[in-house]
Amino acid sequence: MKAAPRVCVDFAGVVPGAGVSSAAVPSAAIGAQTPSDPTVEGLIAGVRGLRVSSDGAGLIDQLRGLEELKAAIGAAQARVAVAFDLAQRAEQAEAGIPVAEQGQGVAAQVALARGESPSRGGRLLGLAKALVAEMPRTLAALDAGRLNEWRATLVVRETACLSAADRCAVDEELAADMGTFTGAGDRAVVAAARAAAYRRDPRSVTQRASHAAGERCVSLRPAPDTMARLTALLPVAEGVAAYAALSAHADTLRAGGEDRSRGQIMADTLVERTTGTPGGVSGVEIQLVMTDRTLLQGDSEPARLPGYGIVPGGWARELVSSGGKGGKARNPGSVAGREPAAGGVEGPGSKTPAPGDHEPGLDEHDFRVWLRRLYTAPGAGDLVGMDSRARLFPAGLRRFIQARDDNCRTPYCDAPIRHHDHVVAWHADGTTSLGNAAGLCEACNHTKENHGWKTSPRPGPRHTIEYRTPTGHSYHSTAPPPPGSPVAGRLVRATKLVRT
């Protein structure tokens, strides 16, 4: 396969990660389509019509060729994304949007088109800008199949702290389009790019390491079998100190005859020291959603745990009965009840106080279980709620939105809900009601307010929202089915997106 021409242009005026102007992008990088060029539809049809080879050597050749095709498509997507960014910025400039705000919402549209989360869309757009404007040889290597998209991403990531001119110089030094990374794994690619970046600008690389502490965070990801991965990104000294403290405590207990494994002790100690409650969780509402049949009759209908996803019904019952210990020894002080609504009137989402609040033997650390009733419409399983004349959603309605939407409602976004938002804006006469409400992450809530975006409720089997982007593309988001609804057995995300 013929490699693209090796041309390096000095983009000293382009700041990495910032918008790329049309003057800074070589026309050859974006490309001009001719009538003889294949269409995307034609490429898709050709791949779908591929005849699988009948011999082993032919099959390997096809696998390699398809891998090169994937890389070439990645390079083409980078060029298309940059061209789209330029076009959107031009349209926004004509609409009178300030220069500082131009480009907002572009990454979100790229994410929707590629079926990715908004944060992933932003990274893909940043990768495209870096490849097209600052690293043409890496782009050529991707185009020729000498690098796959992930390894091209590694090269871009390791040079992100450099100026555009230095990045281009590193691109020349690495010469990825000449096959210098042939046979190299991820670590070798990272090491080569990192070393070249350090040689070019040691101070920037050192400052990048010192600024990395500002990225410290904690994240939660689901793991199989009703487990979860709680991850902390910390400065190395603090991370080592925290691990050493947990390790030393585990060694002490093991030396005293503790029968739990070292790993179990460290995990339990982390939970206890974080929550302040020995052996469990107290004072934190986790909102486990399950049917009355699952809770009271032993039904097999799965439950849903916000922040995690679908969990087995038996495990959910055990969580309720064991005082939040997720299947560990039952807490004898656990109590259950229904929490009261304001004024003592029960309704959707109301709770009644748990009996035994002052029972003898009830320890302050005991896990209390509250039951809150949620009503669903027959058939579709849509949650039934209440309306409000206020601009802000009341607490009961916010709980309904959280239970109904589970995660951010933007298609492909699995981020936790941070904002309870009006689908039709309140200042545009949108009502503060369950039908006009959506749970969104902070980034998606800001994105939908950009120029040219429109959201509106639409009829559907359950709560449905239509997202219309500035290009006129339409995406539909349908609320996931709650446990016990007729469609709960289907994949939740499979019904979340419809593009027209």
Side-chain angles (χ1 to χ4, degrees):
M1 184 175 293
K2 185 178 180 180
R6 291 182 284 131
V7 179
C8 186
V9 181
D10 186 3
F11 298 107
V14 181
V15 179
V20 182
S21 67
S22 57
V25 181
S27 59
I30 296 179
Q33 195 172 37
T34 65
S36 61
D37 288 338
T39 63
V40 174
E41 292 78 8
L43 289 173
I44 295 173
V47 172
R48 287 174 177 168
L50 176 68
R51 293 184 180 181
V52 178
S53 178
S54 58
D55 64 279
L59 291 171
I60 291 297
D61 289 340
Q62 285 185 329
L63 284 174
R64 181 57 206 167
L66 290 171
E67 192 64 27
E68 292 184 1
L69 178 60
K70 285 167 56 180
I73 290 174
Q77 285 182 312
R79 298 186 184 98
V80 170
V82 170
F84 177 69
D85 180 64
L86 295 175
Q88 286 288 287
R89 288 174 181 273
E91 291 182 10
Q92 292 172 354
E94 292 179 1
I97 295 177
V99 175
E101 299 178 9
Q102 292 174 15
Q104 293 182 354
V106 174
Q109 294 183 72
V110 171
L112 287 170
R114 295 194 59 168
E116 301 283 1
S117 67
S119 60
R120 171 71 174 159
R123 293 193 296 271
L124 289 170
L125 181 59
L127 170 67
K129 291 178 179 180
L131 289 173
V132 171
E134 301 167 0
M135 307 194 77
R137 297 192 70 166
T138 303
L139 179 62
L142 179 62
D143 200 24
R146 293 190 171 95
L147 280 179
N148 58 29
E149 189 175 36
W150 171 242
R151 288 182 181 143
T153 302
L154 294 177
V155 174
V156 170
R157 186 187 70 186
E158 294 303 321
T159 58
C161 59
L162 302 178
S163 66
D166 285 341
R167 209 177 205 180
C168 192
V170 169
D171 186 53
E172 274 291 321
E173 178 183 340
L174 295 176
D177 58 328
M178 298 302 292
T180 53
F181 289 132
T182 300
D186 292 353
R187 290 186 179 181
V189 171
V190 168
R194 186 176 295 170
Y198 185 79
R199 286 192 296 269
R200 195 71 191 175
D201 190 353
R203 177 177 296 181
S204 293
V205 176
T206 304
Q207 288 178 343
R208 174 183 176 180
S210 64
H211 292 161
E215 302 298 323
R216 60 190 184 278
C217 63
V218 177
S219 60
L220 181 69
R221 293 179 177 84
D225 303 322
T226 65
M227 301 293 283
R229 299 185 187 278
L230 179 65
T231 304
L233 179 63
L234 301 171
V236 63
E238 296 176 8
V240 170
Y243 185 86
L246 294 173
S247 180
H249 180 69
D251 291 340
T252 300
L253 293 186
R254 289 284 292 174
E258 174 66 51
D259 58 355
R260 288 178 295 171
S261 70
R262 189 168 181 272
Q264 289 173 337
I265 295 174
M266 293 175 68
D268 293 345
T269 304
L270 175 65
V271 173
E272 292 171 4
R273 292 182 178 180
T274 303
T275 63
T277 306
V281 179
S282 179
V284 178
E285 185 173 310
I286 60 174
Q287 289 194 331
L288 177 67
V289 182
M290 59 196 304
T291 66
D292 54 353
R293 301 183 304 278
T294 297
L295 175 62
L296 303 175
Q297 300 177 8
D299 193 81
S300 60
E301 179 68 37
R304 190 173 71 205
L305 185 63
Y308 179 86
I310 300 299
V311 296
W315 181 90
R317 284 191 298 274
E318 179 64 20
L319 179 69
V320 172
S321 64
S322 66
K325 293 179 173 53
K328 294 189 287 182
R330 177 185 174 90
N331 182 350
S334 299
V335 293
R338 289 183 303 184
E339 184 185 35
V345 180
E346 291 191 351
S350 65
K351 302 192 293 186
T352 309
D357 282 355
H358 303 288
E359 292 179 2
L362 187 62
D363 189 87
E364 63 176 344
H365 295 302
D366 287 335
F367 184 88
R368 288 177 171 83
V369 178
W370 303 86
L371 304 182
R372 180 183 296 122
R373 298 182 300 170
L374 298 176
Y375 296 113
T376 59
D382 202 10
L383 287 176
V384 178
M386 63 195 81
D387 290 345
S388 171
R389 296 178 182 273
R391 177 176 183 177
L392 299 179
F393 292 95
L397 201 50
R398 291 199 303 270
R399 286 196 295 264
F400 259 70
I401 298 168
Q402 186 78 42
R404 181 195 68 190
D405 294 345
D406 194 26
N407 291 317
C408 177
R409 282 291 298 277
T410 300
Y412 301 114
C413 185
D414 289 327
I417 293 174
R418 293 285 181 260
H419 292 178
H420 300 86
D421 183 57
H422 293 77
V423 179
V424 177
W426 187 82
H427 59 75
D429 296 329
T431 60
T432 303
S433 63
L434 190 64
N436 191 48
L440 299 176
C441 68
E442 183 175 356
C444 289
N445 189 19
H446 294 322
T447 295
K448 66 181 281 290
E449 300 299 326
N450 288 326
H451 174 75
W453 288 76
K454 182 180 179 181
T455 55
S456 55
R458 286 289 179 265
R462 294 179 306 282
H463 186 260
T464 302
I465 305 171
E466 180 185 29
Y467 288 79
R468 187 169 291 276
T469 67
T471 60
H473 289 79
S474 178
Y475 302 82
H476 290 180
S477 170
T478 300
S485 63
V487 290
R490 305 177 188 173
L491 287 176
V492 172
R493 295 298 177 190
T495 63
K496 196 173 184 183
L497 172 67
V498 176
R499 185 175 65 182
T500 56

